[in-house]
Amino acid sequence: MSYEQDGRGEGSYGGGRGDGRGDGRGDGRGRGRGGYRGGRDDRRDDRRGIPLSALDAATTESSRKLIGAAIEVHKALGPGYDATAYANALKIELADAGVVVKHGHQVDVMYKGKKISETSTDLCIDSRFFVDVLARPGQISTFERLALRAKLKASDLELGLIINFAERRLKDGLVRVVNIEKIQREKGLEFGDDVGEPEHDDGM
């Protein structure tokens, strides 16, 4: 199972449909398979930067369960509903799988040891990673990636996922965001600058 990691440039996994005519045949303009090629190239670059082994094993396993649940929800409902519908369906699917889910999890924003504000994430899975649920046309934006990354840093978590259920193919709406600083600090790993900002990642 594969999904894109945050930081694909503006291509995102939205390359999945390319120029809107992504029918898998290629159009002779370097987009091949519906513009998918660009996303794959970026993904290979980041795989060299962030191996799955750099992430906590339990977090990785929980993320696999989350993605499996999202696939089931998308198969059953398809695109077309609002984000609340998908978030609620995810909660049901995850509860059936024995996964602990918190909805609307609050995150304190701190500055020099003082709380200055708070934000929230749609779902907190097993107290290990965050999920933001979208249901709108268009690519997942750089701002949305950075916003989730900020929540991860504020909560000292490694991993976050953004899922856009509006995509016809769910994998085109899956973006992983990684808290690079936490991984570097705790595991002593060094990554290139290409993954220091919005990161986009490899497959599961």
Side-chain angles (χ1 to χ4, degrees):
M1 184 182 303
S2 64
Y3 61 94
E4 235 6 75
Q5 179 186 346
D6 185 16
R8 289 178 293 285
E10 292 305 311
S12 180
Y13 214 98
R17 282 204 303 257
D19 59 358
R21 294 183 289 274
D23 57 3
R25 294 192 296 266
D27 58 7
R29 291 179 292 217
R31 294 191 173 184
R33 304 187 181 276
Y36 213 75
R37 184 183 304 167
R40 285 179 177 169
D41 289 342
D42 286 342
R43 191 169 62 224
R44 283 195 293 269
D45 290 341
D46 281 300
R47 281 181 176 164
R48 290 195 294 269
I50 309 175
L52 288 178
S53 58
L55 298 176
D56 175 75
T59 299
T60 300
E61 181 59 27
S62 291
S63 72
R64 292 179 189 273
K65 293 179 181 179
L66 180 280
I67 293 172
I71 289 172
E72 292 304 313
V73 168
H74 192 266
K75 283 181 180 178
L77 297 179
Y81 299 104
D82 63 17
T84 300
Y86 297 108
N88 287 335
L90 269 179
K91 288 192 292 182
I92 294 171
E93 193 70 31
L94 290 167
D96 289 346
V99 177
V100 178
V101 182
K102 296 179 182 178
H103 185 260
H105 179 70
Q106 295 296 310
V107 177
D108 290 341
V109 181
M110 307 295 292
Y111 181 74
K112 292 186 176 181
K114 297 180 180 180
K115 180 179 176 180
I116 58 172
S117 185
E118 63 182 27
T119 184
S120 65
T121 187
D122 293 330
L123 301 175
C124 178
I125 310 297
D126 283 336
S127 298
R128 293 185 176 277
F129 70 95
F130 292 159
V131 180
D132 280 346
V133 178
L134 306 179
R136 55 150 181 78
Q139 298 176 2
I140 294 170
S141 71
T142 297
F143 175 78
E144 287 163 331
R145 301 169 192 169
L146 291 174
L148 179 53
R149 187 174 180 215
K151 297 171 194 176
L152 295 177
K153 293 168 71 175
S155 301
D156 198 33
L157 296 179
E158 288 185 355
L159 178 66
L161 292 173
I162 304 174
I163 308 177
N164 186 4
F165 282 92
E167 293 286 356
R168 184 176 61 85
R169 299 185 304 176
L170 185 64
K171 67 179 182 178
D172 294 338
L174 288 171
V175 169
R176 186 180 82 172
V177 179
V178 177
N179 183 352
I180 295 295
E181 289 85 351
K182 177 178 173 63
I183 297 173
Q184 289 177 326
R185 181 178 68 249
E186 294 186 353
K187 302 191 177 180
L189 300 175
E190 294 295 332
F191 303 108
D193 291 340
D194 58 331
V195 292
E197 280 305 312
E199 313 92 25
H200 86 234
D201 180 77
D202 47 70
M204 282 189 174

